[in-house]
Amino acid sequence: MPAGIGSAAAPREHFASRLGFILISAGCAIGLGNVWRFPYIAGEYGGAAFILLYLIFLVILGLPVMVMEFAVGRASQRSAALAFDVLQPSRRWHWFSWWGYIGCMLLMMFYTTVCGWMLAYTAKMATGTFDGLDPEGVGGVFGAMLANPSEMVGWMLAVIVIGFFVCSFGLQKGVERITKIMMICLLGVMGLLVVRSVTLPGAAEGLAFYLVPDFGRMFAGGIGGFGEAVYAAMGQAFFTLSLGISAMEVFGSRIGKQNSLTGEALRICGLDTLVAILAGLIIFPACFAFAVAPDQGPSLVFVTLPNVFNQMPLGQLWGTLFFVFMSFAALSTIIAVFENLITFTMEKWDLSRRDAIKRTAILVTVLSLPCALGFNVLAGVTVPGIGDIQSIEDFIVSNNLLPLGSLLYVVFCVSRKGWGWKNFLAEADTGTGAKFPRWARGWLAFGLPTLIIIIFIMGYVPKIMLWCGLA
């Protein structure tokens, strides 16, 4: 018998409240992509027209996999370390337990560095670092930070210390309590920023660009342009929830059976989408009000927006609040994934929380160093078509582990060689609330895997074309 399975009936710490479960799960899903990717692609592909397309894919693609992760966790009452052995005692799926651990660890290897950027910019904005700087000077601040190994490593270590310190207090007193506070503050700060942004002179043009449905932009490139919009919506709906690496599975193992999992997943997806849409309501009106292009990616947050705040009345205050919001969004993910890694370690090797934190903290710190140093000391380490160390690690997680892991979750929950459809459905539907549609079995068996495979292949197409000299 595998270590730990014999203790499956032992008391397990659960969330103190349903709200805690929803906010922590949403906090894990809400990441920086909600802020610097979703608003840009929504505006580029037709505003509300794209958002509608995104919501369709969220329901048919992201939601079912989230329910599956929750179901595996709640039915087994174990993290990914032991869940598949509990539900499929033949141990045919034992190897898959490592998929989530490796995926979460790889995610933290670069996310700790990016979260460090948010903390650094909160301090820089609060202390007036950007006061009086022109756009080139603002860009220079970001470049100087990346080039400074001690600053990069210092902020990365600060993130790790904060994350594991919160986790050291346990699930209810640490992770749940602090994440609930952060998420409520995050939504409050976003509300203030939205009001400030949409009331700026000239903000209406940005609101129209973002929210008015424009199918012309969606079909601007003909069928090919529409195909790009579909793929962008499909990819955003899939990647925004960080599914496939068991990041959500552990939270399912920490809840009771009072509520159906489909209803809970709908609430979490809704909260994740709300944050993404609100981020656009902050960014587009502000950028259009000051005639600044809302560029895609990190440059939007670290170069474009500080320039906007420089031109805005009380810009230092609003800029500081924005980076507080960004820090909370990143830290909520950090804390949630740290808790996942700690729980996995506790169950896999039968360790106390204290010993699991020590082991995991050392491992995360060592493995995070290459990314922090990848913009300076190790700047020469690159892969053609992918980029620097951060981009390499992100590519491994986003383009490989997430889609393939999600596909394997689907197979495990639908196939008789895994847990099986009846067992999954019974667990998903236990409790009050929305039930998982029984007619969806065919979609889950054939349609959903097809979409996931398309996402996986399309992620490689531009890379292969570049590697083969066709781009």
Side-chain angles (χ1 to χ4, degrees):
M1 179 178 291
I5 290 185
S7 60
R12 182 172 183 77
E13 187 179 14
H14 282 196
F15 289 110
S17 67
R18 182 186 185 190
L19 178 64
F21 162 68
I22 291 172
L23 289 180
I24 291 169
S25 299
C28 185
I30 293 168
L32 303 176
N34 292 67
V35 180
W36 69 40
R37 186 170 187 268
F38 179 84
Y40 179 86
I41 61 174
E44 182 180 12
Y45 290 114
F50 174 86
I51 293 173
L52 178 62
L53 195 61
Y54 161 78
L55 290 174
I56 292 171
F57 281 114
L58 190 70
V59 170
I60 68 173
L61 182 59
L63 182 70
V65 181
M66 176 176 280
V67 175
M68 289 175 179
E69 285 208 27
F70 284 153
V72 168
R74 191 171 73 171
S76 66
Q77 287 294 290
R78 286 291 175 263
S79 72
L82 299 174
F84 302 100
D85 290 345
V86 171
L87 301 181
Q88 226 280 339
S90 71
R91 305 194 78 212
R92 184 180 294 157
W93 287 80
H94 177 73
W95 63 274
F96 190 46
S97 67
W98 289 102
W99 192 280
Y101 183 80
I102 293 169
C104 287
M105 188 64 74
L106 270 165
L107 178 63
M108 291 298 96
M109 284 167 62
F110 66 88
Y111 214 84
T112 49
T113 292
V114 178
C115 184
W117 297 350
M118 303 306 164
L119 296 184
Y121 263 60
T122 300
K124 292 178 189 295
M125 189 63 72
T127 55
T129 299
F130 302 102
D131 290 354
L133 295 181
D134 58 15
E136 186 177 345
V138 171
V141 171
F142 186 52
M145 181 181 72
L146 296 183
N148 187 334
S150 60
E151 184 175 7
M152 291 288 286
V153 172
W155 285 111
M156 179 267 288
L157 290 174
V159 169
I160 292 173
V161 169
I162 292 170
F164 282 109
F165 178 73
V166 171
C167 291
S168 70
F169 289 96
L171 179 70
Q172 292 185 11
K173 295 181 179 179
V175 176
E176 181 174 0
R177 183 174 61 180
I178 300 301
T179 303
K180 281 168 67 174
I181 294 170
M182 282 200 307
M183 290 298 294
I184 292 169
C185 290
L186 180 151
L187 294 172
V189 170
M190 286 197 84
L192 289 173
L193 290 168
V194 168
V195 171
R196 170 67 282 193
S197 187
V198 301
T199 55
L200 288 168
E205 188 180 353
L207 285 172
F209 178 81
Y210 182 48
L211 293 180
V212 174
D214 187 346
F215 291 94
R217 266 184 282 154
M218 185 175 285
F219 288 93
I223 296 299
F226 178 69
E228 289 180 7
V230 169
Y231 177 66
M234 191 163 58
Q236 181 66 22
F238 183 77
F239 295 122
T240 187
L241 300 174
S242 298
L243 301 169
I245 55 173
S246 301
M248 293 293 174
E249 188 272 351
V250 71
F251 302 129
S253 75
R254 300 289 194 178
I255 58 174
K257 297 182 182 285
Q258 297 88 347
N259 301 291
S260 72
L261 295 176
T262 303
E264 303 297 71
L266 280 167
R267 290 176 179 84
I268 293 160
C269 288
L271 193 52
D272 178 78
T273 302
L274 174 66
V275 169
I277 292 174
L278 289 177
L281 292 176
I282 296 168
I283 292 165
F284 280 107
C287 286
F288 274 76
F290 295 101
V292 175
D295 297 322
Q296 185 180 14
S299 62
L300 168 67
V301 173
F302 299 109
V303 179
T304 302
L305 289 177
N307 279 306
V308 170
F309 294 128
N310 266 354
Q311 302 174 61
M312 189 183 295
L314 297 177
Q316 185 176 345
L317 170 63
W318 297 114
T320 302
L321 284 174
F322 176 79
F323 283 104
V324 167
F325 145 61
M326 292 291 289
S327 296
F328 283 170
L331 280 170
S332 64
T333 301
I334 292 283
I335 292 168
V337 178
F338 278 3
E339 176 63 19
N340 195 324
L341 293 170
I342 291 165
T343 304
F344 184 102
T345 303
M346 290 166 63
E347 294 179 0
K348 197 72 171 180
W349 293 287
D350 196 22
L351 297 175
S352 66
R353 173 172 286 267
R354 183 175 181 178
D355 289 340
I357 287 175
K358 289 179 182 178
R359 178 183 293 193
T360 309
I362 292 171
L363 197 56
V364 168
T365 301
V366 172
L367 293 177
S368 295
L369 286 172
C371 179
L373 299 175
F375 300 93
N376 36 77
V377 177
L378 302 177
V381 180
T382 61
V383 172
I386 297 178
D388 53 30
I389 292 175
Q390 181 204 355
S391 300
I392 295 167
E393 293 170 349
D394 189 7
F395 178 77
I396 293 171
V397 175
S398 298
N399 292 66
N400 296 274
L401 296 181
L402 294 184
L404 294 179
S406 295
L407 179 62
L408 289 165
Y409 261 103
V410 173
V411 173
F412 181 74
C413 290
V414 175
S415 169
R416 281 180 291 183
K417 294 184 179 180
W419 188 26
W421 170 253
K422 290 183 179 179
N423 291 325
F424 158 69
L425 196 64
E427 184 61 44
D429 287 351
T430 298
T432 59
K435 305 303 181 185
F436 198 90
R438 294 176 178 273
W439 53 262
R441 183 176 185 179
W443 167 250
L444 296 181
F446 303 103
L448 184 54
T450 300
L451 277 187
I452 293 174
I453 290 170
I454 289 172
I455 291 173
F456 175 72
I457 293 173
M458 290 297 291
Y460 270 92
V461 168
K463 316 294 182 187
I464 293 173
M465 290 181 68
L466 181 67
W467 295 334
C468 296
L470 301 175

